[in-house]
């Protein structure tokens, strides 16, 4: 999952630098977009290994086991269909990856934001309520009043 987080963080940092906006102020739709792209990067970079892993997991046990090593699984996969065999079924995986990763990263950033607010302000209910209901400008106003 290193490439998943790395690609997401690279896109977030590039956007913050390009627009001059702090990462915390990058719009949710961009966070979701970058998360979706990161999901595609993850599966494109790891799909052949996932195919081999799946073949090994569905292989028999004991005397019925054909694939005794990862090397044997790679060779068997290649023998069954060449390079294309490593990419069989990638379409549905990529179709699923974008929306799942978009939601995952949008939720991750939202929970991170709420967690920081809770830590900083000891879960003052009005602030948390504003954040959870989407009134971020209003919650910022309450936070400023609490500080000043």
């Amino acid at each position: 999952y290193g490439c998943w987080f790395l690609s997401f963080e690279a896109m977030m940092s590039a956007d913050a630098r390009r627009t001059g906006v702090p990462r915390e102020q990058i719009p949710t739709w961009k966070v979701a977009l970058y998360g979706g792209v990161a999901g595609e990067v993850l599966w494109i970079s790891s799909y052949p290994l996932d195919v081999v892993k799946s073949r090994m997991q569905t292989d028999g046990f004991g005397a019925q086991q054909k694939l005794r090593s990862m090397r044997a699984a790679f060779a068997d996969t290649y023998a069954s269909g060449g390079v294309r065999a490593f990419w069989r079924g990638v379409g549905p995986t990529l179709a699923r990856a974008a929306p799942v990763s978009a939601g995952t990263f949008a939720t991750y950033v939202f929970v991170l934001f709420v967690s920081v607010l809770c830590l900083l302000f000891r879960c003052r209910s009005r602030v948390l309520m504003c954040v959870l209901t989407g009134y971020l400008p209003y919650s910022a106003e309450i936070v400023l009043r609490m500080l000043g």
Side-chain angles (χ1 to χ4, degrees):
Y1 290 95
C3 60
W4 193 40
F5 285 102
L6 181 66
S7 57
F8 175 75
E9 288 298 325
M11 287 182 276
M12 289 287 287
S13 295
D15 188 292
R17 263 192 321 276
R18 186 179 63 252
T19 60
V21 172
R23 288 173 54 100
E24 301 79 31
Q25 293 178 6
I26 294 176
T28 304
W29 70 268
K30 283 187 175 182
V31 172
L33 175 69
Y34 300 150
V37 173
E40 300 295 311
V41 169
L42 165 70
W43 281 106
I44 288 171
S45 65
S46 65
Y47 197 77
L49 289 172
D50 192 65
V51 168
V52 170
K53 174 208 51 120
S54 296
R55 289 181 67 116
M56 291 182 78
Q57 287 176 332
T58 57
D59 194 23
F61 289 102
Q64 290 128 3
Q65 183 179 11
K66 293 187 316 179
L67 308 172
R68 302 236 177 244
S69 68
M70 197 165 197
R71 183 178 213 176
F74 268 102
D76 187 63
T77 303
Y78 186 78
S80 73
V83 174
R84 294 183 127 210
F86 291 98
W87 296 97
R88 219 173 266 139
V90 74
T93 299
L94 292 177
R96 181 198 76 214
V100 168
S101 290
T104 299
F105 277 106
T107 303
Y108 165 73
V109 169
F110 176 74
V111 169
L112 189 63
F113 177 73
V114 171
S115 299
V116 168
L117 279 181
C118 284
L119 287 173
L120 288 175
F121 302 104
R122 296 191 172 90
C123 287
R124 302 269 172 105
S125 61
R126 288 192 320 171
V127 172
L128 187 60
M129 181 63 81
C130 293
V131 171
L132 292 175
T133 56
Y135 295 105
L136 293 178
Y138 182 62
S139 62
E141 182 182 324
I142 290 174
V143 169
L144 290 173
R145 276 194 227 145
M146 288 169 51
L147 293 174

